[in-house]
Amino acid sequence: MRLPAIIKETFSNLFRKPATVKVPIEEKLPPAPGYRGVPRVDYSKCTGCGLCARYCPSFAIELITKDKRRYPVFHIYRCIFCHQCVEVCPVKAIKPTEEYELSTDRPSDLIIKP
Amino acid sequence: MSTIDLILGPQHPAFKEPERFLFKTEGEIVVDVEPRLGYVHRGIEKAFEMRNYIQGLYLAERICGICNVAHTLCYAQAAEEVYGVEVPPRARYLRAVIHELNRIHSHLLIIGVAAELIGFDTLFMLIWRDREIVMDLVEMMTGNRVISAYITIGGVRRDVSPEFIEKAKKMLTKLEERVKYYRKVWIEDPIIRARCVEVGKLSKADAIKLCAVGPTARGSGVNYDVRRHRPYAAYDEIPFNVVLREEGDVWARVLCRIDETLEAINIVKYALDHLPSGDIRVKVPIRPPPGEGVAFVEAPRGELLHHVYSDGTDKPYRWRVRTPTYANIPAVCHMFKGCYIADIPAILVSIDPCFSCTDRVTILDIRTNERKILTWTQLKKMFREFRRPKA
Amino acid sequence: MVHLVEVESEVAEYLRTKLGDKLFGVATPKKLRVVVRVSSDAVKSCIRAIQEKFGDVHLTTITGCDLGEELELTYHLHLYANNVHIMVKTKVPKSEPKIDTITDVIPGAVLYEREVYEMLGIQFIGHPKLERLFLPDDWPEGIYPLRKDWRPEGLK
């Protein structure tokens, strides 16, 4: 009787390093360059045009009026990280980042406002 | 012999997603089956009517996480037909690349799950380990492992660098070797053959009659692949084979997927070698002209359709989506008839189910032998009455 | 795949001769696509005629759409013989939404007709089991969510 092909593979795996890494105790895996993380806003550049709020697919951007000007407020807990706002911003005031570790015990950390 | 009703789902260890099947059984044999869909019905078609075309793109992506590229591609093609724009050649090739990478990842996922459900956990672990290669590639190309957000109306959102192309080809060669090995295991292994061969038969005539699509139909010898028969993206310029098997059982359908994975690797390599230069997208205005658009795409699970009616405003008037698993439900119900109860998970997984499905409970009253179907509200009321202390 | 333009006009010409005054119009808007507009009682005979001439037919889906006074149905057919996509379009009045079933011609249409029935309220005469498919059991009778006069609660 011939041995099934899987047997050899199974036993060779006994002598191999694990395929997984212990995140974040032993090692922290960096995301690939260009990873879509939290969008950050440069409020000094923002003109308050409201295009980002109009295109946001998850309705995470709210427009508020402060000192007679409009500003977008980003509710990151609703964000789906599609970077559509980064793409439509006419003055490039919204910058993409690669941040992905977002868990917090203060909900106010997840709101970006001026 | 009297029949016994066997209810599997909506929550069941053998099903990965919520779905209820009522099997009428005689001993060990299933004689009839009644599916109940709708457990995760989210009303997406109505939601499309309340979003503009760009927002809808990201909603379409979330119809199915696994085949998200197929949905965005189909959405974009339907919208482009309404807008009347042509996609630049480089974008058409990049669309084919990401679409095939998505197919590799989806097929490896379901081959692994198929192995697990027939009781072969080693193979499941190994396949899922090697699936990480293609997940890393997708992350490098698009910026996320699964939800790619890569295709947009009028083209694609990011370009690829020459370094990426070099790296991708190297990694895909490695993956190809592994998939060839899994193919050998699937063909030769006596346990797999014992569990899958001649199980869940679907003849070619039945596959055509019940309108089966994708690898489910091609595993029964129906020659229909949208990529070949109504080409989109760059598939009219890329050489590839349509994988057909004549057997029509669980084994053939999974083997069909393994062979398609190998084809997909070749398509990606060819497309990356022959990538034309030029723009990657054309800009579209927020309002399309009034009209109608229909697009077909060969998603990993089969033929996918998006159909849009535009009335000239920034929101679609009506958006229709027909997903491949929905088309395969009549076929899978046919396959169940005459099978053993133990084969139910293997047959179900062989159509690569991805359910889009509400709340319902069937209660069999033993004393009166009366069958009731309760809604969620009735069940809550019954529970309250049960908890109330007896006077 | 060689005679692309001829394939479409062949289908269009055949349907024109076969259906007569039940046919409201044929168009070939795109490569490998034929759009046929027929009266609501001629859908079944149209599909039969296509099957007789071109052999096996694959029904992709049935799209229902509320156009105000009328409900439009689109049957998406794929011909295995020459890969043409035929859209058979028909309209039924909203006051009396009734049409013959096609499940005796194409058995794969069972679920699509049930879905159109629950979402838009079109009665398919002769369907073997016309019941709810996706909607919950406590969903009120006579409310069809994909009609334009129904809007979900709590949304702007």
Side-chain angles (χ1 to χ4, degrees):
Chain A
M1 200 189 111
R2 234 174 51 200
L3 274 178
I6 195 84
I7 300 280
K8 204 178 143 206
E9 177 78 19
T10 313
F11 280 99
S12 75
N13 273 312
L14 284 174
F15 307 103
R16 229 182 253 175
K17 273 198 308 183
T20 50
V21 290
K22 286 184 175 166
V23 178
I25 305 158
E26 283 173 6
E27 202 178 334
K28 205 174 148 185
L29 292 174
Y35 181 81
R36 294 195 312 272
V38 189
R40 295 279 170 201
V41 195
D42 183 353
Y43 282 104
S44 60
K45 273 190 191 168
C46 176
T47 56
C49 66
L51 268 180
C52 48
R54 187 170 174 188
Y55 278 106
C56 181
S58 60
F59 310 102
I61 306 172
E62 183 193 7
L63 285 175
I64 56 156
T65 310
K66 193 178 162 191
D67 305 332
K68 290 178 185 164
R69 266 196 59 188
R70 291 201 304 171
Y71 292 100
V73 172
F74 284 63
H75 300 274
I76 297 298
Y77 48 85
R78 272 189 232 155
C79 182
I80 58 169
F81 309 108
C82 65
H83 285 192
Q84 185 65 37
C85 48
V86 178
E87 205 178 288
V88 295
C89 185
V91 291
K92 307 258 175 274
I94 306 173
K95 289 270 177 296
T97 71
E98 291 177 7
E99 295 167 36
Y100 65 95
E101 287 171 312
L102 300 172
S103 37
T104 174
D105 50 3
R106 281 183 306 170
S108 58
D109 287 356
L110 293 175
I111 298 173
I112 303 174
K113 56 184 174 190
Chain B
M1 197 178 181
S2 65
T3 59
I4 296 170
D5 288 3
L6 176 74
I7 299 165
L8 293 189
Q11 296 297 326
H12 190 271
F15 296 170
K16 301 291 165 206
E17 279 165 87
E19 168 71 291
R20 201 197 62 157
F21 286 97
L22 197 156
F23 295 96
K24 293 197 190 314
T25 59
E26 274 178 9
E28 271 286 289
I29 311 277
V30 177
V31 289
D32 201 5
V33 59
E34 203 180 293
R36 172 71 168 96
L37 309 168
Y39 287 91
V40 285
H41 187 257
R42 294 157 288 176
I44 282 188
E45 289 186 12
K46 194 81 180 174
F48 274 122
E49 298 169 11
M50 289 155 199
R51 282 163 170 79
N52 65 35
Y53 282 84
I54 292 293
Q55 290 171 327
L57 187 63
Y58 296 99
L59 184 64
E61 193 157 40
R62 278 153 186 81
I63 293 172
C64 172
I66 302 296
C67 40
N68 63 78
V69 175
H71 279 281
T72 42
L73 179 55
C74 203
Y75 182 99
Q77 283 179 8
E80 278 151 15
E81 198 180 314
V82 175
Y83 276 103
V85 292
E86 277 288 319
V87 182
R90 191 176 173 89
R92 292 200 295 120
Y93 270 76
L94 287 173
R95 281 179 172 192
V97 169
I98 189 67
H99 192 39
E100 291 307 317
L101 286 177
N102 187 236
R103 188 184 317 276
I104 297 168
H105 129 76
S106 171
H107 277 357
L108 288 179
L109 180 138
I110 202 64
I111 298 162
V113 173
E116 192 211 2
L117 283 180
I118 60 170
F120 205 152
D121 280 31
T122 317
L123 191 58
F124 159 66
M125 290 287 178
L126 289 173
I127 290 176
W128 278 45
R129 182 191 70 196
D130 294 323
R131 180 172 160 259
E132 286 301 310
I133 296 172
V134 68
M135 308 285 277
D136 288 345
L137 271 178
V138 174
E139 186 179 340
M140 276 192 272
M141 190 172 169
T142 68
N144 208 326
R145 274 162 56 89
V146 178
I147 299 289
S148 56
Y150 190 69
I151 292 165
T152 188
I153 303 169
V156 296
R157 290 175 67 191
R158 288 182 187 198
D159 207 346
V160 293
S161 63
E163 297 88 63
F164 170 80
I165 294 174
E166 281 308 307
K167 212 169 173 183
K169 278 197 285 197
K170 220 177 277 168
M171 285 164 81
L172 284 170
T173 310
K174 198 176 145 202
L175 184 68
E176 194 174 1
E177 268 169 39
R178 295 299 305 168
V179 179
K180 278 183 178 153
Y181 168 72
Y182 296 131
R183 185 173 191 276
K184 188 168 162 250
V185 172
W186 192 267
I187 290 174
E188 286 175 1
D189 199 276
I191 302 167
I192 293 174
R193 292 197 71 98
R195 282 300 307 269
C196 297
V197 171
E198 296 291 312
V199 170
K201 290 281 275 186
L202 182 73
S203 67
K204 186 176 176 180
D206 286 335
I208 289 174
K209 206 173 72 184
L210 297 168
C211 301
V213 295
T216 311
R218 288 198 289 274
S220 299
V222 180
N223 188 4
Y224 178 40
D225 186 323
V226 188
R227 291 177 291 171
R228 165 62 48 83
H229 296 123
R230 252 180 275 134
Y232 54 94
Y235 289 111
D236 46 349
E237 292 161 24
I238 299 173
F240 70 99
N241 299 321
V242 176
V243 180
L244 288 177
R245 304 287 313 182
E246 296 297 328
E247 293 91 339
D249 51 9
V250 173
W251 184 80
R253 286 191 283 274
V254 176
L255 191 60
C256 201
R257 289 193 171 88
I258 299 177
D259 287 341
E260 272 184 25
T261 315
L262 291 169
E263 279 301 317
I265 292 172
N266 289 335
I267 295 174
V268 175
K269 282 182 174 168
Y270 182 92
L272 287 175
D273 278 334
H274 296 78
L275 209 55
S277 53
D279 287 343
I280 56 161
R281 68 184 289 186
V282 285
K283 291 267 178 202
V284 292
I286 192 162
R287 283 192 181 82
E292 204 177 331
V294 185
F296 289 87
V297 155
E298 185 70 26
R301 293 168 173 81
E303 173 206 45
L304 168 71
L305 167 131
H306 279 232
H307 184 181
V308 57
Y309 285 75
S310 158
D311 57 352
T313 59
D314 62 342
K315 295 184 174 99
Y317 183 75
R318 167 94 168 92
W319 203 288
R320 169 82 170 118
V321 179
R322 203 298 313 272
T323 56
T325 305
Y326 182 27
N328 280 334
I329 294 280
V332 78
C333 290
H334 180 80
M335 288 175 211
F336 281 134
K337 284 171 198 166
C339 81
Y340 287 107
I341 294 174
D343 291 332
I344 290 172
I347 293 172
L348 188 65
V349 79
S350 75
I351 67 154
D352 196 353
C354 177
F355 290 118
S356 180
C357 311
T358 338
D359 314 76
R360 174 141 149 167
V361 184
T362 311
I363 286 186
L364 192 67
D365 196 324
I366 303 166
R367 280 161 299 177
T368 58
N369 209 16
E370 176 193 4
R371 233 175 89 211
K372 295 181 197 163
I373 291 178
L374 300 181
T375 64
W376 184 233
T377 352
Q378 285 169 322
L379 190 72
K380 276 196 288 195
K381 194 172 154 238
M382 239 176 87
F383 183 67
R384 276 198 304 269
E385 281 167 2
F386 177 73
R387 293 288 300 274
R388 200 179 292 146
K390 297 252 166 27
Chain C
M1 293 290 289
V2 192
H3 313 287
L4 288 177
V5 187
E6 288 160 33
V7 168
E8 293 138 23
S9 51
E10 185 197 346
V11 175
E13 206 48 55
Y14 170 70
L15 287 172
R16 213 169 269 146
T17 52
K18 197 82 190 175
L19 288 167
D21 60 341
K22 296 278 173 65
L23 187 85
F24 299 150
V26 183
T28 52
K30 219 181 133 181
K31 209 168 94 181
L32 290 180
R33 182 177 299 168
V34 178
V35 181
V36 188
R37 288 176 191 280
V38 296
S39 69
S40 63
D41 55 341
V43 172
K44 201 189 276 183
S45 54
C46 176
I47 293 172
R48 271 222 180 95
I50 293 168
Q51 278 178 330
E52 273 166 26
K53 169 95 178 171
F54 300 101
D56 291 327
V57 164
H58 168 80
L59 176 75
T60 301
T61 193
I62 305 171
T63 308
C65 180
D66 181 2
L67 297 177
E69 292 301 303
E70 285 166 317
L71 300 168
E72 186 180 71
L73 287 174
T74 310
Y75 295 76
H76 297 271
L77 304 170
H78 166 81
L79 304 183
Y80 285 113
N82 52 18
N83 302 316
V84 175
H85 168 215
I86 305 182
M87 287 162 70
V88 180
K89 281 175 170 282
T90 187
K91 286 176 182 171
V92 290
K94 221 177 192 176
S95 50
E96 207 198 339
K98 278 192 179 127
I99 191 165
D100 281 341
T101 178
I102 60 157
T103 47
D104 47 344
V105 190
I106 301 174
V110 177
L111 293 181
Y112 304 134
E113 291 193 347
R114 278 174 70 177
E115 191 193 355
V116 173
Y117 158 73
E118 69 169 355
M119 295 295 176
L120 285 154
I122 296 175
Q123 297 284 339
F124 288 89
I125 303 159
H127 188 282
K129 193 181 174 188
L130 203 58
E131 284 175 12
R132 292 268 175 80
L133 182 63
F134 291 122
L135 292 176
D137 292 329
D138 45 359
W139 187 266
E141 281 293 322
I143 289 182
Y144 303 110
L146 281 178
R147 285 195 182 181
K148 288 287 168 188
D149 45 17
W150 185 84
R151 288 186 71 76
E153 286 168 34
L155 279 178
K156 284 175 273 182

